[in-house]
Amino acid sequence: MNVNLPGKNAEDASFDELRFDDASFEDFFKKHFLSLCAFCQFKFGLDLDMAKEVVHTGFIKLWDARKNLAPGLSPKSYLYKIITNNVLDSLKHGKIREQYAQFVLQTLPENAPTNSFDDLSVKQLQTEINAAIAELPEQMRRVFELSRFEGLKYSEIAEQLNISVKTVETQMSRALAKLREKLSAHLSYLIIALILSDLFKN
Amino acid sequence: MESNSQINELLTRFLINDLNEGEYARLVSWINASEENQRYFLQIRDTWQLTAVQLTAQVNEEEEWRLFQNTIAVRDSDVVYIRDEEERVNTLIEEQERTGKAIIYRRLLHLVVAAAVIILVGLGWTYFLNGDQQPAVATKPLQEVDGIIPIIQHETNTTGKEKSIMLSDGSMVVLFGNSELTYEKHFINRHIKLKGKAFFKVAKDPGRPFTVESDGIAITALGTAFTVNANGFAKQKQVIVKLYEGKVVVKPITANNPMKNEVYLLPGQELVYDSKTTSVRTFETGSKNTDVKKEEDEPVVDNPTLPVNTKGSWHMYNNQALSQVLDHLAVTYGVSIVYNEKDVQQKYFVGQFKTTDSIEMILTLVTKATKLKYTREGNTFIVHQ
């Protein structure tokens, strides 16, 4: 059953569509899954598996809630909202590495803005990140990739590349500093007034 | 004061979660020292998190969608199966091995595990004439071991009753009356010649196609399951090869054959062959499979019917051999499903699925009902104990 109410937004399927029509839900899922993962990775520093899990959980909630939600509401905003709440929740309950969580929590405003990636910008972002990494000097790039994407320890990287652990550490931190410069365009809008002092008082 | 590079190193190791308490304290006091430091920290952290976006390139939405459907379906399907009921299930299976039939119902989908000896893949042939001594199919050279002369086996059934023959590759043949088979005893090349009529239960072996040669054509099963039926007892020599699942190739193997080229059949197609014409057309997979005659003398309780309504919104398995079910799923979903013949033998399945159900969900249920497991590797599903 496909309910087509007048006034639906073609760009952003409304609940009216998703409510009864599984095919619309499928399209919606496929359209936003990637962006939502990217959002979780970027916004909350989740690793890919964790991001996927969080996004799946979000979609399951949406699936269950889809028949009972106010008409006209944007499911996309709803999804970003529930995912953000979920992540904050699991951060608070220590499901994610504690030390990390503390920082992340403190550096997020209570109501995290639900600004989102669309698919286009995720692909674009991937391309730019790729390019930035590719521009690093060879050894630095390999150190960075092994650490960031393969999750190897400094000692493992040192062994694999036949360099000292100290060199790995230097290269790694320089890589990050360089990437910060190259990707600064994407970072600027994220800089928000933060009150870190509270965190460190106790 | 800390130098820039020291701070960068601390920051970086913070991000990979590799700081001890002293270092952590040093970093915190540095961050607190100025707003500028705070901003720098956040930028580095965001850079770190931004690079993770790179990894989303690995995400496949189709796969995630199937996973999602699976999760929902399994969650909603109220599965009450097996672990608690293992004892009972085992008893039932033993019982059904004695009596030939017993059924275990799952609450929702009426999945049934039945153990019985049934023809897995039926190759039904009717009377052919002059089928012997055909030249070998060109694409299938003999694979004899050097120096070993193959022993040619003739099986002739002159009795009025059907006769079961076990081939050395695990395939089984039921040879009907007034029919004859010729094959190499070691059956390494899985090539068999037929005069008359026979059912074949083909053991799966993707590396070695199974070929039946008769009346000027050769029918080769390529890997997955298939069913071939020959038309009834008409005077006219006519073969109808119906393919339900998997792939077969039919080749002319005589000169002046009315069939000029080899024909690959897709599921849902049938090939009609006689001495004058050859045609390929599609058929309804839901149509009755009447040519496959029940074998009353065997301890066979029922004949596996093929999935009906495969073009509709659902498909159904009616006590079919598990191997057949898996092969059909593989074709339907365009994936490959690998299993060990001995894990699936004597396992049967009854159940109905919507065509929109994901392969993961179906396999989860099928393997649960048949006490197997599956693992996924890319597009390949491995079904195992």
Side-chain angles (χ1 to χ4, degrees):
Chain A
M1 182 169 156
N2 193 351
V3 180
N4 274 332
L5 293 179
K8 74 178 171 109
N9 184 344
E11 279 299 298
D12 182 13
S14 72
F15 277 117
D16 306 329
E17 248 177 275
L18 298 184
R19 194 167 297 176
F20 298 110
D21 181 3
D22 289 2
S24 301
F25 196 92
E26 181 176 351
D27 291 344
F28 179 77
F29 179 99
K30 288 177 183 168
K31 191 172 165 215
H32 296 296
F33 190 87
L34 202 97
S35 329
L36 285 159
C37 286
F39 170 77
C40 291
Q41 288 177 292
F42 182 36
K43 202 86 198 167
F44 308 112
L46 304 188
D47 64 32
L48 183 59
D49 285 340
M50 184 68 84
K52 274 158 72 166
E53 197 182 311
V54 167
V55 174
H56 269 292
T57 310
F59 271 111
I60 288 169
K61 285 198 177 176
L62 178 65
W63 176 264
D64 291 342
R66 73 197 196 283
K67 290 183 182 170
N68 300 316
L69 286 160
L73 192 62
S74 151
K76 189 174 157 189
S77 318
Y78 176 81
L79 203 47
Y80 274 95
K81 189 89 189 159
I82 49 180
I83 286 174
T84 302
N85 289 344
N86 272 351
V87 175
L88 292 178
D89 218 42
S90 43
L91 288 172
K92 279 175 188 153
H93 289 91
K95 284 184 194 163
I96 296 167
R97 291 175 299 181
E98 247 178 77
Q99 193 188 51
Y100 208 12
Q102 222 180 356
F103 270 100
V104 175
L105 269 186
Q106 294 299 326
T107 54
L108 279 170
E110 256 319 291
N111 292 309
T114 56
N115 61 342
S116 54
F117 296 99
D118 54 45
D119 273 348
L120 210 70
S121 76
V122 171
K123 302 271 185 222
Q124 173 73 13
L125 213 49
Q126 282 174 4
T127 314
E128 288 182 33
I129 296 164
N130 249 349
I133 293 171
E135 282 171 21
L136 297 175
E138 174 67 11
Q139 194 185 57
M140 197 183 278
R141 180 182 62 77
R142 291 182 67 190
V143 168
F144 183 80
E145 286 175 345
L146 288 172
S147 171
R148 185 69 182 105
F149 301 133
E150 310 284 326
L152 296 188
K153 293 194 170 96
Y154 284 178
S155 55
E156 293 166 330
I157 299 170
E159 197 174 324
Q160 188 161 334
L161 299 180
N162 206 16
I163 52 180
S164 73
V165 174
K166 188 66 208 159
T167 308
V168 173
E169 177 159 26
T170 313
Q171 297 278 24
M172 189 61 198
S173 61
R174 283 188 193 161
L176 205 50
K178 275 182 188 287
L179 289 174
R180 169 185 158 260
E181 287 165 25
K182 289 177 199 291
L183 297 169
S184 60
H186 298 286
L187 300 172
S188 53
Y189 77 95
L190 286 160
I191 298 163
I192 35 178
L194 294 162
I195 305 151
L196 280 172
S197 53
D198 284 354
L199 167 61
F200 303 115
K201 268 178 185 161
N202 43 16
Chain B
M1 275 275 60
E2 310 269 357
S3 79
N4 270 350
S5 64
Q6 278 174 322
I7 285 303
N8 272 336
E9 285 168 14
L10 278 184
L11 272 174
T12 311
R13 281 201 286 117
F14 163 72
L15 292 170
I16 60 174
N17 210 12
D18 191 33
L19 288 186
N20 63 36
E21 279 190 26
E23 292 168 324
Y24 184 73
R26 264 167 64 202
L27 178 64
V28 167
S29 71
W30 179 84
I31 293 172
N32 276 330
S34 73
E35 222 168 89
E36 194 189 336
N37 289 1
Q38 290 171 13
R39 205 171 297 131
Y40 186 78
F41 160 72
L42 289 175
Q43 285 192 352
I44 289 287
R45 190 203 65 187
D46 286 345
T47 304
W48 176 255
Q49 291 178 185
L50 186 64
T51 54
V53 172
Q54 187 52 35
L55 292 170
T56 53
Q58 302 166 4
V59 175
N60 177 332
E61 290 100 334
E62 297 292 330
E63 218 165 85
E64 298 300 334
W65 170 247
R66 285 199 294 270
L67 186 65
F68 175 78
Q69 284 181 302
N70 189 25
T71 312
I72 293 284
V74 169
R75 187 196 64 175
D76 294 349
S77 69
D78 193 18
V79 174
V80 285
Y81 208 55
I82 267 176
R83 198 151 288 147
D84 299 341
E85 298 183 334
E86 205 141 28
E87 281 300 316
R88 201 167 67 79
V89 169
N90 283 338
T91 318
L92 277 171
I93 287 172
E94 276 166 30
E95 206 172 280
Q96 78 198 58
E97 276 164 5
R98 276 200 310 277
T99 62
K101 193 167 191 178
I103 294 170
I104 300 152
Y105 285 99
R106 265 191 66 255
R107 193 194 290 171
L108 193 73
L109 287 164
H110 308 294
L111 309 179
V112 178
V113 186
V117 184
I118 292 182
I119 295 163
L120 291 186
V121 177
L123 245 182
W125 286 96
T126 47
Y127 298 104
F128 289 131
L129 307 167
N130 313 318
D132 56 338
Q133 306 309 318
Q134 305 288 359
V137 180
T139 52
K140 278 193 50 51
L142 298 180
Q143 298 164 5
E144 307 154 15
V145 183
D146 282 350
I148 295 177
I149 298 157
I151 302 162
I152 302 296
Q153 188 86 18
H154 290 280
E155 287 283 358
T156 313
N157 186 357
T158 51
T159 70
K161 291 180 82 180
E162 293 81 355
K163 179 179 176 185
S164 292
I165 300 153
M166 203 68 184
L167 301 172
S168 66
D169 71 333
S171 299
M172 195 186 75
V173 186
V174 178
L175 191 62
F176 284 68
N178 302 314
S179 303
E180 187 186 321
L181 287 181
T182 307
Y183 58 95
E184 284 173 27
K185 192 169 186 190
H186 291 295
F187 208 56
I188 290 162
N189 62 1
R190 305 222 295 176
H191 193 101
I192 204 159
K193 288 175 188 172
L194 171 72
K195 280 198 283 187
K197 176 182 178 181
F199 281 125
F200 292 84
K201 170 195 163 191
V202 179
K204 190 166 173 145
D205 185 349
R208 293 189 300 153
F210 189 99
T211 303
V212 179
E213 186 188 311
S214 191
D215 199 38
I217 60 171
I219 298 166
T220 303
L222 303 173
T224 48
F226 71 107
T227 298
V228 181
N229 286 322
N231 203 8
F233 296 78
K235 285 176 200 161
Q236 189 188 15
K237 278 193 299 177
Q238 191 183 50
V239 190
I240 298 178
V241 181
K242 283 189 179 190
L243 180 62
Y244 292 86
E245 53 197 81
K247 200 172 176 184
V248 296
V249 57
V250 185
K251 294 169 187 170
I253 49 172
T254 47
N256 302 321
N257 196 298
M259 190 174 160
K260 294 300 169 214
N261 299 306
E262 57 187 46
V263 175
Y264 287 83
L265 291 184
L266 297 171
Q269 288 183 330
E270 66 181 355
L271 178 134
V272 181
Y273 169 83
D274 62 34
S275 54
K276 292 186 187 66
T277 56
T278 303
S279 64
V280 174
R281 63 190 185 208
T282 54
F283 66 96
E284 282 297 318
T285 41
S287 64
K288 279 273 160 52
N289 195 12
T290 47
D291 291 336
V292 180
K293 206 174 102 184
K294 265 190 191 171
E295 187 30 83
E296 306 290 350
D297 296 336
E298 300 244 326
V300 168
V301 276
D302 55 8
N303 227 337
T305 53
L306 284 146
V308 293
N309 195 28
T310 46
K311 290 206 174 68
S313 61
W314 50 273
H315 43 246
M316 185 178 153
Y317 300 103
N318 183 15
N319 207 23
Q320 280 170 271
L322 184 56
S323 59
Q324 211 175 357
V325 172
L326 294 175
D327 292 343
H328 178 258
L329 287 171
V331 172
T332 309
Y333 284 87
V335 297
S336 69
I337 299 175
V338 181
Y339 54 85
N340 191 328
E341 197 69 42
K342 79 175 191 305
D343 292 345
V344 301
Q345 68 190 0
Q346 301 202 343
K347 289 191 172 171
Y348 298 85
F349 182 83
V350 173
Q352 182 180 326
F353 298 105
K354 288 190 285 184
T355 50
T356 52
D357 288 340
S358 73
I359 181 70
E360 284 92 347
M361 182 222 142
I362 295 174
L363 276 181
T364 303
L365 294 172
V366 170
T367 51
K368 253 196 178 129
T370 51
K371 300 179 75 180
L372 295 167
K373 297 187 178 74
Y374 78 90
T375 24
R376 175 170 199 176
E377 281 173 19
N379 234 11
T380 303
F381 295 82
I382 299 145
V383 175
H384 52 85
Q385 288 280 4

